[in-house]
Amino acid sequence: MDDPPGWIAEFTVTPAQFAAHLDAVVRSGRTPVTISAVADHLAGRAPLPPRPVLLTFDDGFADLPGPTAEALAERALPATAYLTTGAIVPGGRSLLPPAPMMTLAGVTELERSGMEIGSHTVTHAQLDTLSAKDLAFELRTSKAVLEDALGHEVRHLAYPHGYNSPRVRAMSVRAGYETATAVRHALSSGHDERYRIARLIVRRGHTVADVEGWLAGAGARVAPYRDGPKTIAWRWYRRARARVRGPEFAG
């Protein structure tokens, strides 16, 4: 968007920037894949093509089935969309602040355009602060809603804002997901963790040169790696705060 809502502006790019980033992907000679191809590789079922790249889009903003999908299709770039079902179901409720959102009816259109669909929970809460009951609801309900809309299994999850923990990862397995992506702002690798796949965050200030650097395998650390003391301390602080305030938006 050229003029996004303030709360999400940092994590958006203009249409012109987006086109430039996609053109950089094409020029890089990398092979775009969906999350299922990554899952097959991590499970040992099939190798990835040489120099793969995975493009992912979270939440389900209104531009996704239209301009975003069209820009990808024009360049024959497959991608994966992780959708927050409470924000796209009519009458649904989520913790996402107001923004133009797509609707659940658009998920089949996304799939036809070349996007694989994954779950991004129901409300976009900080999953690592939730009770077991609330966590199970977020993981299982979003999966079921998308499966009903698509008519087939949804096997992949993205943790809202990347927030996860050993308990969240274990419950994601039990909920029936085959992979889960975090954030970590790091390059993934052939040895990454299947339920904490690293991703890079594209912020509004990132340049084409930044994207080209990532595509060359530079400019960011490489996963997997252990959580640092600050990450662990931040998780415990958010858990304590959630006990007082209740579930909070992951963003």
Side-chain angles (χ1 to χ4, degrees):
M1 297 180 67
D2 284 308
D3 187 24
W7 69 271
I8 196 66
E10 177 65 17
F11 302 104
T12 66
V13 295
T14 66
Q17 286 175 306
F18 184 57
H21 292 175
L22 295 186
D23 289 340
V25 173
V26 174
R27 287 195 307 272
S28 74
R30 286 193 171 269
T31 303
V33 298
T34 62
I35 188 61
S36 282
V38 177
D40 288 343
H41 169 74
L42 293 177
R45 292 189 295 264
L48 282 167
R51 305 185 74 240
V53 60
L54 173 64
L55 307 177
T56 67
F57 301 85
D58 287 1
D59 300 331
F61 294 104
D63 65 279
L64 193 57
T68 300
E70 290 166 6
L72 291 162
E74 287 170 2
R75 297 164 176 81
L77 297 175
T80 300
Y82 294 104
L83 304 179
T84 305
T85 56
I88 66 173
V89 171
R93 298 178 63 186
S94 79
L95 295 171
L96 286 168
M101 304 300 293
M102 63 175 284
T103 66
L104 186 63
V107 297
T108 53
E109 179 185 343
L110 284 179
E111 214 171 47
R112 285 194 300 268
S113 73
M115 284 200 196
E116 184 169 19
I117 305 301
S119 164
H120 201 41
T121 74
V122 177
T123 70
H124 208 282
Q126 298 177 17
L127 298 184
D128 56 346
T129 68
L130 300 181
S131 68
K133 179 181 177 181
D134 289 343
L135 178 57
F137 168 80
E138 293 281 351
L139 297 175
R140 296 180 184 277
T141 303
S142 57
K143 188 175 191 294
V145 167
L146 293 172
E147 288 175 343
D148 286 346
L150 293 167
H152 62 72
E153 186 179 15
V154 170
R155 301 183 295 143
H156 308 291
L157 168 72
Y159 306 120
H161 211 66
Y163 289 141
N164 69 95
S165 66
R167 181 177 70 108
V168 172
R169 297 194 289 274
M171 289 192 68
S172 299
V173 176
R174 291 198 291 273
Y177 292 104
E178 190 174 355
T179 70
T181 51
V183 174
R184 316 204 86 186
H185 196 62
L187 294 159
S188 186
S189 72
H191 305 288
D192 208 350
E193 301 168 81
R194 195 163 18 143
Y195 290 92
R196 191 162 53 161
I197 297 170
R199 296 189 291 171
L200 292 154
I201 307 170
V202 180
R203 295 178 182 267
R204 199 169 185 87
H206 282 130
T207 66
V208 172
D210 292 323
V211 175
E212 290 173 337
W214 298 336
L215 290 162
R221 68 189 304 184
V222 179
Y225 52 85
R226 292 183 178 180
D227 288 338
K230 289 184 178 179
T231 298
I232 295 170
W234 176 236
R235 181 181 303 142
W236 281 105
Y237 168 76
R238 289 185 294 101
R239 284 178 180 170
R241 189 173 62 186
R243 290 193 185 99
V244 177
R245 300 181 180 180
E248 293 188 290
F249 168 59

